[in-house]
Amino acid sequence: MSEPRRTHRTDEQPEEGPARPSFMNIPGASVETRRQLLVKISWMLLWMIYLAYPVGDLLDGGHGAGARVLGWICLGAFVTGYVLLVVFRSMPGMRPWTCRVIVATMVALAVASTFVLGTAFLSLFIYASVCVAIISPARYALRALLGAAVLTAGVGLLAHADTDNVWTFTLSAFLAGAAMTGLQRLVGTMKELREARAAVAHLAASEERLRLARDLHDLLGHSLSLITLKSELAGRFMDAGKDEAARAQVADIENVARQSLIDVREAVTGFRRPTLPVELAAARTALAAAQVTLETAPELLDAWPGLAAEEAGALAWALREAVTNVVRHGEGATVCTVRSDETWEGDGERYAVLEVTDDGRGPGKSQPGNGLSGLEERLALVGGRLETGPGARGRGFRLRALVPLRTASVPAP
């Protein structure tokens, strides 16, 4: 029976209906249902073929009634311990010493039954070696298997078994334990891979949350600041009896609110990518409402015509955040200057530089807020960086955003 195909789902996606029960248990996966445990035990019991030696010895009639009863009891207890070990290993939270006690009991039964009932019970050491490999840590597995092989050979020789049988059972016990050790390592690797896949899915969801938080902070911070300023202007115009001017401000508020709604929807769906011309026009409107003059060179719009979309979008976000800071925190600012430049770094790479300064009181002793932290993360994603500090002669605030000057790749015809 094949494992049902499972679609990838992050921790934020709801499940579509109840999951279908699976009767199979893939290696390394925890047993979730009783049917899975039953299937696992059934597969383990298929490997009981080596018990044909002691079973045949008991059925041949070469032992007395008491010896046969004792033999069946030992054989039943051995198989029971083998099944219990599988069950306990499949149960979460089981203490290791319980499994060690079971394996020690199985080894003792193998030794006692071989000395009492004959060398046909040497096959029990094969299963005992497998169980030793199951409970042994990886760094001690080889030593434990060598010890189990030496014990098998020693018991066989002391029980006067045929030399060929002794070496056959010894080699079988060692190889079976080694195979189980390899399977245990494979199971551990598959478990780590599943945990790593779950961690990657969780990190992807966290990265999406961070992106959405940055976008919403930048979009709403700028738009709400502009709405606040225009609302104050509308109130002043109404107090002064300038109804037409107040209506114009209210109309601007309506337009800004509608555009903000569109931007938020695009940000949520991941399609929002601002551009320098659009952000420059929005900056002119926002600064005019705050009675701040925008000074910029006309060639700014065509400063980097071939700049890649990701780098250009990061510079546009930098312009938006810088203007938002001037509007909200630039106390006493009357002029905001936007410049573009290019610079060469020590690693030989050329960078595009966008610099925004104002003539206000400056940041003072305040720490950078969420907007600047988010902008720094955006620039770091494209290999750029953010520089902030006081303006010329210690007056105002200066923001410099640098991104690698990579040209956009043109798809081949």
Side-chain angles (χ1 to χ4, degrees), residues 216-232 253 256-257 259-261 264 286 320 324 327-328:
L216 291 180
H217 177 274
D218 295 341
L219 291 171
L220 295 180
H222 178 84
S223 301
L224 293 179
S225 299
L226 186 56
I227 290 174
T228 301
L229 287 175
K230 287 187 171 296
S231 299
E232 293 177 355
I253 292 173
V256 171
Q259 185 61 40
S260 299
L261 181 59
V264 168
R320 172 184 281 262
T324 302
V327 173
R328 298 178 62 182

Side-chain angles (χ1 to χ4, degrees), residues 312-347:
L315 291 180
W317 281 114
L319 178 58
R320 172 184 281 262
E321 179 60 29
V323 171
T324 302
N325 284 337
V326 173
V327 173
R328 298 178 62 182
H329 309 296
E331 297 182 4
T334 57
V335 178
C336 177
T337 305
V338 181
R339 296 188 180 93
S340 62
D341 196 3
E342 296 179 8
T343 182
W344 292 86
E345 295 293 328
D347 55 0

Side-chain angles (χ1 to χ4, degrees), residues 38-61:
L38 181 60
V39 170
K40 188 173 184 178
I41 294 175
S42 300
W43 279 107
M44 299 299 293
L45 291 177
L46 288 178
W47 298 100
M48 292 296 178
I49 187 173
Y50 285 102
L51 294 181
Y53 293 98
V55 170
D57 183 68
L58 293 176
L59 294 177
D60 284 344

Side-chain angles (χ1 to χ4, degrees), residues 115-156:
F115 281 123
V116 175
L117 299 173
T119 57
F121 285 81
L122 278 173
S123 60
L124 299 183
F125 284 96
I126 298 176
Y127 300 98
S129 179
V130 170
C131 295
V132 168
I134 290 176
I135 66 170
S136 299
R139 60 181 180 275
Y140 300 129
L142 182 59
R143 301 176 187 176
L145 292 178
L146 290 175
V150 170
L151 179 62
T152 304
V155 171

Side-chain angles (χ1 to χ4, degrees), residues 65 96 127 135 138 205 210 232 251 290 299 307 320 333 341 362 367 381 407 413:
Y127 300 98
I135 66 170
L210 290 176
E232 293 177 355
E299 59 270 14
L307 189 62
R320 172 184 281 262
D341 196 3
Q367 298 296 325
L381 289 176
T407 58

